[in-house]
Amino acid sequence: MRGVFRICQVQKRRYFDSMFLMRVTQRLRAEPGVAEAAAVMGTPANIQILLRLGFPAGELAEAGPDDLVVALAGAEELPLRAALEKLEELLAGGEAGAGLPRTLAEAVAQLPQANLAVISLPGRHAVPEARAALEQGLSVFLFSSNVPVEEEVALKRLAAEKGLLVMGPDCGTAIVAGVGLGFANAVRQGPIGLIAASGTGAQEFTTLVHRAGSGISHALGTGGRDLSDAVGGTTTLTALDALAEDPATEVIVILSKPPGVGTVARLAQRVRRATKPVIACFLGLAAEQMRNGWPGPLVAVIDDAVAAALRRTGVPVPPFLSVPRNGPELKDDLSRLLPRQRYARGIFAGGTFCYQAQLLFHVARVPFRSNAPLTADHALATPWRSEGHTLLDMGDEFFTEGRLHPMIDPTLRQERIRQEAEDPEVAALLLDFVLGYNASPDPVGDLIPALVAAREHKRREGGDLVVVASVCGAEADPQNYREQVERLTEAGARVFPTQAQAARYALTLLKELK
């Protein structure tokens, strides 16, 4: 963070939604004399970030997760104090408008025909609200993270007893009868039903299906732990039954990390009895025994799951899903790098994209490290510092506790791009740009200045930086998919139609650099 003066203010036991605080941050940054600003909850991760940016430890020492922290930096102290005097005015804008419900009971009273509740609260506050929603006969879309696994199990058992569905916790995306929830995209309805453990995995799958000319009947989220043995696949099994009975669904796709050893048999048994085709895409290192015994099509990459679903519904697989692109641009990229540049750094907003990239690196036998590792052997010593080839999930709870997801707030990704560019051994950045409802209004525009600065830094050293990217989105998304791709391409990035293709291009580049 720039600036000579840095000041902080901690307000005890004042909680604000992270989306609202991002708007407060943006307004503080617009104040005269403010070079940088942050309005965040005082979680350990946020405090660590502020300390790394040089804010005084003494003033931050008393801050806790329930406290509001405002930090400002600038060339002079007086304008920073003037900006702080406007803080209460800015915070007052976060109060709910007249007539808006403030409790679940008030919301149900206003809309008694509702059959689903969307809950987005800090984990410790989300569980009672989810339980109350189930008790009132509502299925739950639980966006919240940091929900203990025993609470997840209890909620899903209660839902099963009542014939309801708990999508989550940490459920980023769902599409129910054409209505998007969370970070969904504007995709057409069609014959393919999806059960997905992750939000960005669901977004990649549904947008690729849409761009291929087909559509989605429903995309039901489960939360990342649902197929673990600790949870037992309760939501996946309920969703499987629901899609099997849904007349609009012709083929069902399950997208998840591999199930737990104790859960896979239950799931396989249910798939075996299914009256519709079921395609499984298990991202990860599935045991050979499971692969051999699985009762249906089983793939390991999202592109392959999309292609398999299209074939099952009679839709031709489009060329963009099957044609690799390693032409003249590869030679051009290699020619601009110095001999010492040999590492790639993946800085992902989407956790599934980070995980899928790891899987492809593993299959290609290219060593890597990650903060959300495929196995413990691939773990980074600390998420703050990359080692060799590093694939970072910037949406991991370590980075997002008490602050906005990087699909909304690009600040941490911007800072990480700058940090990686300063490493003389870095040759390539692997990035994802995720469009859709509730995401940043301009994901590409958010990062272009940082990417331009990073490449200029490398060029001053005599080399360059290869930017390999994919854009997850659809033409009708609010951000305009085509425009985002064009701007990223004009900025000098290699843009690929799928994240798997982008990762494979990066791998081809790295093998040439050996």
Side-chain angles (χ1 to χ4, degrees):
M1 186 175 286
R2 302 184 302 274
V4 176
F5 290 92
R6 294 180 175 84
I7 61 174
C8 296
Q9 184 179 96
V10 178
Q11 298 192 6
K12 303 295 287 184
R13 304 196 67 77
R14 292 197 73 184
Y15 178 81
F16 293 89
D17 176 79
S18 55
M19 181 72 83
F20 173 71
L21 288 180
M22 185 185 74
R23 292 197 292 269
V24 172
T25 295
Q26 291 171 340
R27 294 180 67 180
L28 285 170
R29 283 176 182 160
E31 289 295 315
V34 176
E36 280 296 352
V40 296
M41 298 308 298
T43 63
N46 284 337
I47 296 302
Q48 188 171 359
I49 291 168
L50 292 174
L51 291 173
R52 286 170 58 86
L53 293 174
F55 285 95
E59 297 180 38
L60 296 171
E62 300 299 320
D66 294 325
D67 303 331
L68 171 66
V69 178
V70 178
L72 301 174
E76 299 178 2
E77 183 177 5
L78 194 59
L80 304 183
R81 297 293 176 191
L84 266 185
E85 290 178 3
K86 297 183 178 179
L87 180 62
E88 286 305 316
E89 176 187 343
L90 301 179
L91 293 175
E95 294 177 352
L100 292 177
R102 300 182 66 87
T103 66
L104 179 65
E106 290 178 9
V108 171
Q110 285 192 15
L111 194 63
Q113 70 273 29
N115 59 11
L116 186 144
V118 176
I119 297 174
S120 178
L121 293 167
R124 63 187 183 283
H125 301 302
V127 172
E129 296 299 326
R131 187 176 295 112
L134 292 170
E135 294 288 359
Q136 296 197 45
L138 303 173
S139 289
V140 171
F141 177 87
L142 189 52
F143 191 80
S144 310
S145 56
N146 293 311
V147 173
V149 68
E150 59 271 20
E151 297 283 10
E152 178 179 349
V153 171
L155 288 173
K156 289 184 171 178
R157 284 178 178 169
L158 177 59
E161 291 170 5
K162 293 178 173 294
L164 301 171
L165 199 63
V166 172
M167 293 184 276
D170 199 18
C171 186
T173 301
I175 301 172
V176 181
V179 178
L181 303 173
F183 293 115
N185 298 84
V187 299
R188 75 175 64 79
Q189 290 186 264
I192 300 173
L194 175 67
I195 302 168
S198 75
T200 45
Q203 288 188 268
E204 179 81 335
F205 181 89
T206 57
T207 55
L208 291 179
V209 165
H210 171 88
R211 280 154 49 197
S214 187
I216 301 296
S217 58
H218 309 276
L220 305 176
T222 66
R225 296 184 303 216
D226 191 68
L227 285 179
S228 68
D229 287 339
V231 180
T234 307
T235 295
T236 300
L237 295 173
T238 304
L240 193 57
D241 290 344
L243 291 178
E245 295 174 2
D246 174 46
T249 301
E250 296 178 15
V251 59
I252 301 168
V253 175
I254 301 173
L255 175 59
S256 171
K257 294 178 182 177
V261 174
T263 304
V264 67
R266 293 178 63 201
L267 182 59
Q269 185 179 34
R270 193 70 62 88
V271 169
R272 198 172 285 113
R273 294 203 311 262
T275 56
K276 297 178 180 177
V278 178
I279 298 163
C281 177
F282 294 144
L283 291 167
L285 305 178
E288 190 66 25
Q289 184 178 2
M290 191 207 76
R291 292 195 175 278
N292 292 336
W294 184 254
L298 178 58
V299 300
V301 178
I302 296 173
D303 295 19
D304 296 340
V306 174
L310 293 173
R311 291 190 189 99
R312 286 282 181 168
T313 53
V315 176
V317 177
F320 76 77
L321 277 176
S322 55
V323 178
R325 200 182 77 188
N326 297 327
E329 62 268 25
L330 183 64
K331 290 183 179 178
D332 177 60
D333 287 341
L334 291 167
S335 70
R336 291 183 283 108
L337 299 174
L338 297 172
R340 70 187 182 199
Q341 292 184 263
R342 53 185 176 144
Y343 291 132
R345 302 284 158 79
I347 307 174
F348 297 101
T352 296
F353 294 143
C354 179
Y355 206 78
Q356 183 170 254
Q358 291 183 62
L359 182 64
L360 294 170
F361 272 57
H362 176 81
V363 171
R365 300 182 183 277
V366 174
F368 64 90
R369 298 285 180 182
S370 177
N371 64 317
L374 196 62
T375 70
D377 293 339
H378 300 295
L380 279 171
T382 169
W384 297 116
R385 189 174 63 254
S386 297
E387 305 169 36
H389 303 306
T390 294
L391 303 169
L392 284 170
D393 176 7
M394 300 298 289
D396 182 75
E397 289 178 359
F398 178 87
F399 291 113
T400 59
E401 185 180 4
R403 63 180 304 126
L404 286 172
H405 194 279
M407 285 164 54
I408 303 171
D409 181 356
T411 306
L412 288 184
R413 286 222 295 174
Q414 293 166 339
E415 174 63 22
R416 193 65 181 230
I417 288 170
R418 183 198 62 75
Q419 179 182 331
E420 301 298 355
E422 292 177 354
D423 185 336
E425 294 186 301
V426 168
L429 296 181
L430 185 55
L431 302 172
D432 60 342
F433 294 84
V434 186
L435 316 186
Y437 301 114
N438 298 313
S440 163
D442 185 9
V444 168
D446 289 340
L447 293 193
I448 279 182
L451 294 174
V452 169
R455 293 191 69 191
E456 288 176 349
H457 177 82
K458 287 293 189 187
R459 286 169 176 167
R460 286 195 295 272
E461 295 180 337
D464 205 341
L465 186 66
V466 180
V467 178
V468 185
S470 63
V471 179
C472 172
E475 295 86 350
D477 281 337
Q479 300 88 349
N480 192 319
Y481 172 79
R482 195 171 302 278
E483 281 187 11
Q484 292 280 304
V485 171
E486 289 175 356
R487 289 171 61 200
L488 195 53
T489 304
E490 290 169 0
R494 302 296 185 198
V495 186
F496 290 82
T498 77
Q499 190 271 333
Q501 290 187 29
R504 285 172 169 142
Y505 181 83
L507 284 165
T508 303
L509 182 81
L510 296 178
K511 288 183 177 179
E512 294 292 332
L513 292 174
K514 283 184 176 178

